[in-house]
Amino acid sequence: MDSQPKEAIPQWNNTTKLIVALVLVVLVGFLIWKFQFILGPLLFAIILAYLLYPVAGFLHKKVHLPWRAAATILYLLIFLILIGLLTWGGISLVEPLQNLVTFLQKLVTDLPKTIADLTSQVWMIGPFSVNLSNLNATQLWTDLQGILSPILSSIGTLLGNIASGAVSTITWTAFTLLVSYFFSVESRGTRSNLIKFTIPRYEYDFEMMKVYLSNIWGAFLRGQLVIFVLTYFIYAILLAALGERYFLALAVLAGLARFVPYVGPFVAWTTYGLVALFQGTTIFGLLPFPYALLIVGSAIVVDVIMDNFVSPRIMSSALSVHPAAVLVMVIVSAKLIGFIGVLVAAPVLASLKLFLHYISRKMTDLDPWEDMALPVPPPSIKDTLRERWQELSKRISGWFLKRRAARMKKTKE
């Protein structure tokens, strides 16, 4: 059959284009609403493919394996490890978290009575006395109990399913890894091909969008991963040294709290204080209330140091979003895609901000990239750690040299 002449191909008018666009928007919105339960695993699969790309690249280049073979071996190994942990070691892995949730559930159940008992006493802190008998907070704590109980119950159920190796958990794990594997294999060793989509005459816009989105998510994933691991080890050591129960589970909570500005650390501090106040044993012979103050105070000091000295050096400036907007996005994304949405609320918001900027500039017939500086790719974790180590080494050596010069000067005198 002869091909149709180009001049005879009918063109869509503006009305047809508008109708088709509206139909597509409605259809996509309906699919997102209908299948929102799959958004979390799908997003996590994309993130996982992005995170594992360097590992597969190492096998591809250093071991001289074909890209498909390198990705297959990597994902197969990860799948076997995860299935083993879920089926054989799941209980031991989540047992500290389960114990913490059970402890908090019992605490919340007894909260109104406990608060009433506490406010009926006079607390002595050194030479000072604190009288809480005039504080009537029973109704407030009863309302708080109604909010916290369903949340803790849901978390306990989730941890129970993971610990028992529930079929649904294994199924979703396999689904997420399989989708991530297909993303990785089809990229053929090129990160820009992980998600490949383009529209004729918009190739440049898509390439620029990839650059900015890669900068946003790269900065977040690299930085947040380092901060989570660093926070976990710092809090595990600190809380263990201070005699806090469930210190491993609380260290996980501390790491996760770094994903949600302001509210996350506040919730974590409150949890540390409640556990310390009611765990029954303290160090240094402290009473429960001063001991809880010591725990919370130490956590605040650690978080202030992290916020002012560690996080700014590790995290890129790519996520230039307002903290209040991040909190709103946490609620929205948690409703849409669950727990994963809470963790990635900041980069999702930054991505939406980029899309809205692009749309607004296009709607006003302006170049969307004219007033945007080309982002600098975030440094690798290895380069960041090397830079921090060199800076610390210089400061330590400088301090010793100054001390040595001072001793030599004093000796000459």
Side-chain angles (χ1 to χ4, degrees):
M1 182 177 179
D2 296 336
S3 61
Q4 191 176 13
K6 183 176 181 181
E7 293 77 7
I9 298 176
Q11 301 292 320
W12 286 359
N13 57 34
N14 292 334
T15 303
T16 304
K17 294 177 183 177
L18 179 60
I19 292 174
V20 172
L22 289 176
V23 170
L24 287 176
V25 168
V26 172
L27 180 61
V28 171
F30 173 77
L31 292 176
I32 291 176
W33 171 76
K34 190 68 175 178
F35 300 100
Q36 56 182 312
F37 64 90
I38 206 174
L39 292 179
L42 181 60
L43 179 59
F44 186 74
I46 297 173
I47 294 174
L48 188 62
Y50 188 90
L51 288 175
L52 294 178
Y53 176 85
V55 183
F58 175 82
L59 294 175
H60 174 58
K61 295 178 181 179
K62 300 298 183 180
V63 189
H64 304 292
L65 289 173
W67 176 258
R68 181 177 291 271
T72 302
I73 292 174
L74 176 62
Y75 276 88
L76 182 60
L77 181 62
I78 293 175
F79 178 75
L80 293 176
I81 292 175
L82 287 178
I83 293 301
L85 293 176
L86 286 173
T87 54
W88 298 305
I91 296 177
S92 62
L93 286 173
V94 300
E95 186 176 2
L97 289 172
Q98 281 187 301
N99 291 337
L100 175 60
V101 171
T102 302
F103 178 84
L104 292 176
Q105 284 176 327
K106 184 178 183 303
L107 180 61
V108 168
T109 302
D110 300 336
L111 196 56
K113 181 178 181 301
T114 304
I115 295 301
D117 293 339
L118 291 176
T119 54
S120 64
Q121 303 177 21
V122 178
W123 292 85
M124 300 300 298
I125 306 177
F128 304 101
S129 62
V130 179
N131 188 357
L132 301 177
S133 59
N134 296 324
L135 181 62
N136 185 11
T138 305
Q139 185 60 44
L140 174 63
W141 292 113
T142 302
D143 295 338
L144 183 61
Q145 180 190 42
I147 297 174
L148 293 178
S149 293
I151 297 175
L152 292 174
S153 178
S154 300
I155 296 175
T157 303
L158 175 63
L159 293 174
N161 290 339
I162 295 175
S164 61
V167 175
S168 61
T169 303
I170 298 176
T171 302
W172 281 112
T173 301
F175 170 80
T176 303
L177 283 175
L178 188 61
V179 173
S180 180
Y181 167 74
F182 286 137
F183 275 122
S184 182
V185 166
E186 294 304 319
S187 71
R188 296 180 177 86
T190 304
R191 178 172 286 180
S192 60
N193 289 336
L194 285 174
I195 301 178
K196 194 171 183 179
F197 178 78
T198 186
I199 298 176
R201 299 196 304 173
Y202 283 85
E203 289 83 359
Y204 177 74
D205 284 353
F206 272 93
E207 287 301 319
M208 292 297 294
M209 191 69 73
K210 284 182 182 180
V211 171
Y212 283 96
L213 288 176
S214 177
N215 186 61
I216 290 172
W217 286 89
F220 174 80
L221 293 175
R222 291 171 183 271
Q224 208 66 53
L225 182 62
V226 173
I227 291 174
F228 175 84
V229 174
L230 188 61
T231 302
Y232 173 81
F233 282 107
I234 290 175
Y235 268 92
I237 295 172
L238 173 66
L239 297 179
L242 293 177
E244 180 99 345
R245 288 179 66 185
Y246 315 114
F247 62 91
L248 292 178
L250 291 174
V252 174
L253 175 63
L256 295 177
R258 308 301 306 177
F259 286 83
V260 184
Y262 302 123
V263 172
F266 178 77
V267 172
W269 299 339
T270 304
T271 306
Y272 310 151
L274 289 174
V275 174
L277 191 62
F278 298 104
Q279 71 178 19
T281 58
T282 64
I283 61 172
F284 309 129
L286 294 174
L287 293 174
F289 190 69
Y291 176 62
L293 291 179
L294 173 64
I295 294 290
V296 175
S298 302
I300 292 175
V301 170
V302 170
D303 283 340
V304 167
I305 295 175
M306 292 287 294
D307 289 335
N308 291 277
F309 298 100
V310 180
S311 295
R313 293 177 178 271
I314 295 178
M315 292 295 289
S316 171
S317 59
L319 302 183
S320 53
V321 290
H322 198 282
V326 175
L327 296 182
V328 175
M329 193 64 204
V330 165
I331 299 174
V332 174
S333 55
K335 181 68 175 177
L336 287 176
I337 55 179
F339 180 68
I340 298 296
V342 175
L343 301 183
V344 298
V348 167
L349 179 61
S351 301
L352 289 177
K353 180 181 176 183
L354 175 63
F355 293 144
L356 290 176
H357 171 84
Y358 175 82
I359 293 172
S360 63
R361 299 283 292 186
K362 281 291 188 179
M363 294 285 286
T364 53
D365 297 325
L366 297 174
D367 183 0
W369 316 111
E370 181 180 4
D371 60 342
M372 296 181 66
L374 191 66
V376 179
S380 64
I381 297 175
K382 181 179 178 181
D383 293 338
T384 302
L385 294 176
R386 184 191 297 116
E387 182 182 347
R388 299 284 78 80
W389 173 252
Q390 290 175 351
E391 181 180 344
L392 181 61
S393 300
K394 288 181 180 179
R395 290 186 179 183
I396 294 175
S397 60
W399 183 81
F400 278 110
L401 289 175
K402 288 181 180 179
R403 296 287 297 177
R404 181 181 178 185
R407 284 197 301 268
M408 292 178 63
K409 182 178 180 181
K410 186 175 181 180
T411 303
K412 290 180 181 180
E413 293 176 353

